[in-house]
Amino acid sequence: MKKILTLITIFFLFTQCKVAPVDYAQNNKITGFIADSSMVVSAREEASKIGVAIMKKGGNAFDAMVATELALAVAYPFAGNIGGGGFMVYRTHDGKTGALDYREKAPQAASKNMYLDENGNIIQGKSTLGAMAVGVPGTVDGLFKVHQKFGSLPFSELIQPSIDLANKGVVVTKKQAERLADYRHFFSEVNGTKIILDNDWKEGDTIKYVMLAKTLERIRDLGRDGFYKGETAEMMVNYVQKLGGIITKADLENYKAKWRTPIEFNYKDLKIISMSPPSSGGICNAQIFKAIEPFNIASYGHNSLKSVQLLTEAERRAYADRSYYLGDPDFVKIPIDTLISSKYVQKRMASFSWDKATPSSTLKHGKITGYESDETTHYSIVDQYGNSISATTTLNGGYGSKVFVSEGGFFLNNEMDDFSSKPGTPNMFGLIGAEANAIEPGKRMLSSMTPTIVEKNNRFYMSVGSPGGSTIITSVLQTILNVYEFSMGMQDAVNAPRFHHQWLPDVVTFEPKGFDSLLLNQLQEKGYQTKQENSVILGKVDAILRLPNGKLEGGADYRGDDKAAGF
Ligand code: GLY
């Protein structure tokens, strides 16, 4: 009895205590999952395990990527997909780097003002909800491109575990049940009929995705044509057009993923390899890292007043440039070399002062002569041969456009909202775009997805990425800094509370509970607008770190159901 009373007292005291923010800078404390040589970290345990099983069979990281991405399409329909798109950055065992762009494209019938009414105002919801929001999906073509170039096992072996998983069913987690409850009303609003995810699914229930399994079988048997032509294409086009959308069979047939040159830059003794346009992630982060490089951020302390100020001001300037200069490189000319040069970035930082915030209203893009969703998903992979992958894939919003091709068992994206529907007007992430990201037929919409690989001493050091729309860029940035500058292990770096600034709106957002009020008051006194109460979580990072002893530490974000697996 005494023991029980003591326990109750301890519990009471614990719950009544004002919880101080945790000091995460704990000198490379290793708290994450450890593996000897091979690891997958993704949004669902099922997907991580399927990727790892492929590597156990002798497959490489690229084989594991195909298997993991398809498994996420089954186990994590919130953002995993075959009806969306993504980006992948790789580094092979012998140090070769590259990037794949399997981003969605605007249909041929798309036009600049398609989301505006006759008075030139944005029609609310048209670019986010329903069939008009759908971009031509890129995921399936992307996976075939990866397999063609780097795959070592037959595609059929990589897709089969996902077919089996879809038929067997996936257990609903608590977080998934909550998300489904939040989104259910959109499913009936958009589709007009009941779809499989409409049921009142509870934690512990099993959902079988039988129609999705059949689509995956067609892809297994017919290759990319199993998705972009024939039965599946017909289902998609008929359904999208029935709901008022504009995608055609020709749009699907003509979709092509593209190999791109990644953005590569040095930060102190790190080499950072990240995604190039049409993602803004690599360029924005290169600008932020270059802006902070002359400062000794480690000496300021993790999430200290000076660190938050420095990063916020660097972010403000980078996001202002993002909104003006960045778009699909196949359509617009982007001055990449200048944008990421130390000289240009440090000139932009000349107006930075420790005394006072720079109001965003006084800051425009830099002079050079000459949007998005939190419902994306990221995974990192390292194999036993030394290859590494960082891939981020998305439907844009949670469950994308909510258009569910019931016959095929999958959701379609609402990626069209990542275009700038009306230059100067914010998209669903509050991001302002300019002409560079205006809608054109066949163009790719600007992204913030930032799959990134970091090298140190010419060896693989880290694979990192996140969902989070506009907050992806700053989540990736802070995770790398947490390890490199603030001496955290991978899991602690992922767990550490994050903050975000993106030029407009002129506000710095802090994760709830992770920052004390003294810091926020000090920032306010210097002219920063801060937001913490009711702010959403910022990013959901999945990452892998190579430890000094050669083993791997996974960082699987506790903010989701994310999980590391490996051997
Ligand atoms: N749709 C999220 C992004 O591409 O950044």
Side-chain angles (χ1 to χ4, degrees):
M1 186 63 190
K2 208 171 148 205
K3 213 169 158 190
I4 292 173
L5 280 175
T6 313
L7 281 174
I8 291 173
T9 313
I10 290 172
F11 177 76
F12 182 77
L13 285 174
F14 181 77
T15 51
Q16 295 304 301
C17 275
K18 198 159 176 277
V19 184
V22 179
D23 179 4
Y24 279 91
Q26 293 166 357
N27 296 322
N28 290 62
K29 210 174 91 209
I30 306 305
T31 57
F33 175 81
I34 302 289
D36 286 337
S37 64
S38 310
M39 188 181 286
V40 180
V41 189
S42 82
R44 283 287 302 224
E45 184 170 13
E46 293 84 344
S48 298
K49 283 188 168 164
I50 282 176
V52 166
I54 290 296
M55 293 193 284
K56 271 203 175 137
K57 274 171 87 171
N60 61 29
F62 301 95
D63 296 315
M65 175 197 168
V66 173
T68 305
E69 177 113 7
L70 289 165
L72 285 168
V74 178
Y76 192 59
F78 188 61
N81 65 82
I82 52 174
F87 297 106
M88 181 271 274
V89 169
Y90 68 83
R91 181 184 184 279
T92 59
H93 62 96
D94 53 355
K96 292 193 184 71
T97 57
L100 182 69
D101 163 3
Y102 51 105
R103 181 71 161 166
E104 301 92 325
K105 293 175 91 164
Q108 282 305 314
S111 57
K112 186 173 174 183
N113 296 331
M114 62 192 273
Y115 299 119
L116 305 184
D117 65 18
E118 60 280 9
N119 301 316
N121 296 321
I122 292 205
I123 304 169
Q124 289 307 323
K126 197 170 176 188
S127 67
T128 53
L129 205 59
M132 279 299 280
V134 182
V136 184
T139 297
V140 174
D141 195 61
L143 295 183
F144 278 101
K145 285 267 184 340
V146 169
H147 185 251
Q148 208 173 23
K149 190 164 167 138
F150 292 112
S152 70
L153 297 179
F155 195 91
S156 56
E157 278 184 41
L158 308 179
I159 198 170
Q160 194 58 43
S162 295
I163 298 173
D164 297 342
L165 180 66
N167 280 322
K168 185 172 132 236
V170 183
V171 177
V172 175
T173 66
K174 183 167 182 281
K175 290 185 173 122
Q176 188 183 9
E178 286 163 5
R179 277 195 304 266
L180 283 169
D182 285 348
Y183 279 82
R184 194 170 301 132
H185 67 283
F186 288 123
F187 301 152
S188 43
E189 184 182 332
V190 167
N191 295 283
T193 53
K194 201 168 158 71
I195 67 166
I196 181 174
L197 289 173
D198 257 347
N199 294 339
D200 185 18
W201 295 108
K202 296 272 186 277
E203 182 184 359
D205 289 346
T206 297
I207 308 181
K208 292 187 180 186
Y209 298 94
V210 180
M211 300 316 279
L212 179 57
K214 290 194 193 317
T215 299
L216 296 177
E217 281 168 6
R218 285 192 292 278
I219 295 171
R220 177 195 62 197
D221 299 340
L222 303 171
R224 84 177 283 291
D225 289 356
F227 184 79
Y228 291 98
K229 286 185 182 174
E231 209 179 324
T232 315
E234 215 145 284
M235 284 171 189
M236 255 187 287
V237 168
N238 289 345
Y239 191 54
V240 166
Q241 292 188 357
K242 186 177 142 200
L243 296 184
I246 53 175
I247 287 186
T248 63
K249 281 193 197 159
D251 284 326
L252 290 173
E253 265 187 59
N254 294 333
Y255 180 86
K256 283 191 179 59
K258 274 187 122 163
W259 293 104
R260 304 257 186 211
T261 305
I263 298 289
E264 302 196 355
F265 59 96
N266 294 315
Y267 173 72
K268 300 185 179 173
D269 66 344
L270 300 182
K271 180 175 162 196
I272 298 178
I273 303 142
S274 192
M275 194 61 216
S276 44
S279 174
S280 58
I283 291 181
C284 269
N285 262 343
Q287 290 196 305
I288 300 168
F289 274 109
K290 290 286 170 202
I292 67 171
E293 197 168 27
F295 299 85
N296 186 356
I297 193 169
S299 71
Y300 306 155
H302 177 246
N303 284 349
S304 65
L305 176 64
K306 285 184 84 170
S307 300
V308 174
Q309 266 190 281
L310 178 62
L311 287 172
T312 300
E313 295 299 343
E315 288 163 8
R316 191 190 310 278
R317 287 154 179 82
Y319 276 82
D321 277 353
R322 175 197 193 278
S323 84
Y324 184 78
Y325 286 111
L326 304 192
D328 182 345
D330 296 341
F331 285 71
V332 291
K333 200 163 158 38
I334 305 171
I336 297 181
D337 291 346
T338 306
L339 282 171
I340 67 171
S341 70
S342 300
K343 197 171 152 210
Y344 168 79
V345 170
Q346 278 153 31
K347 212 165 122 201
R348 296 274 286 151
M349 285 296 277
S351 56
F352 162 57
S353 153
W354 290 113
D355 299 331
K356 208 171 173 319
T358 311
S360 288
S361 55
T362 64
L363 188 89
K364 299 273 176 294
H365 58 87
K367 294 247 177 316
I368 294 179
T369 44
Y371 314 16
E372 285 124 280
S373 152
D374 48 350
E375 325 307 8
T376 298
T377 188
H378 175 83
Y379 54 93
S380 291
I381 303 179
V382 174
D383 70 19
Q384 63 271 42
Y385 312 111
N387 303 300
S388 49
I389 270 182
S390 180
T392 314
T393 181
T394 189
L395 288 166
N396 196 21
Y399 309 104
S401 60
K402 324 301 185 270
V403 172
F404 186 73
V405 185
S406 278
E407 284 178 289
F410 57 93
F411 283 105
L412 289 169
N413 67 84
N414 61 342
E415 220 69 61
M416 291 296 285
D417 188 62
D418 275 349
F419 277 117
S420 166
S421 298
K422 181 178 177 185
T425 304
N427 75 350
M428 67 191 254
F429 304 108
L431 288 167
I432 310 271
E435 287 302 325
N437 189 34
I439 304 172
E440 290 182 61
K443 189 177 179 182
R444 287 167 156 97
M445 51 299 277
L446 185 61
S447 171
S448 296
M449 292 192 279
T450 314
T452 299
I453 289 175
V454 185
E455 265 182 27
K456 193 173 173 188
N457 303 327
N458 298 321
R459 300 195 67 167
F460 167 82
Y461 182 50
M462 208 185 302
S463 168
V464 55
S466 177
S470 53
T471 73
I472 293 174
I473 298 168
T474 54
S475 297
V476 168
L477 168 88
Q478 287 169 81
T479 306
I480 297 171
L481 291 175
N482 287 349
V483 174
Y484 182 72
E485 295 283 14
F486 300 116
S487 306
M488 296 182 209
M490 192 76 263
Q491 186 63 55
D492 280 359
V494 166
N495 291 351
R498 296 189 274 264
F499 64 95
H500 172 73
H501 178 65
Q502 60 177 46
W503 177 51
L504 293 172
D506 192 349
V507 60
V508 192
T509 307
F510 294 84
E511 275 191 314
K513 298 194 187 117
F515 297 82
D516 70 28
S517 47
L518 177 66
L519 172 72
L520 301 191
N521 290 341
Q522 287 172 325
L523 285 165
Q524 284 156 14
E525 276 163 21
K526 288 180 183 290
Y528 292 91
Q529 292 181 53
T530 62
K531 178 175 151 195
Q532 184 173 36
E533 290 314 314
N534 304 322
S535 68
V536 292
I537 60 165
L538 302 173
K540 191 162 73 64
V541 176
D542 284 337
I544 301 174
L545 175 69
R546 187 174 178 279
L547 299 172
N549 64 6
K551 294 193 183 209
L552 305 171
E553 185 195 357
D557 208 318
Y558 77 93
R559 296 162 179 88
D561 294 317
D562 304 45
K563 200 85 182 169
F567 58 90

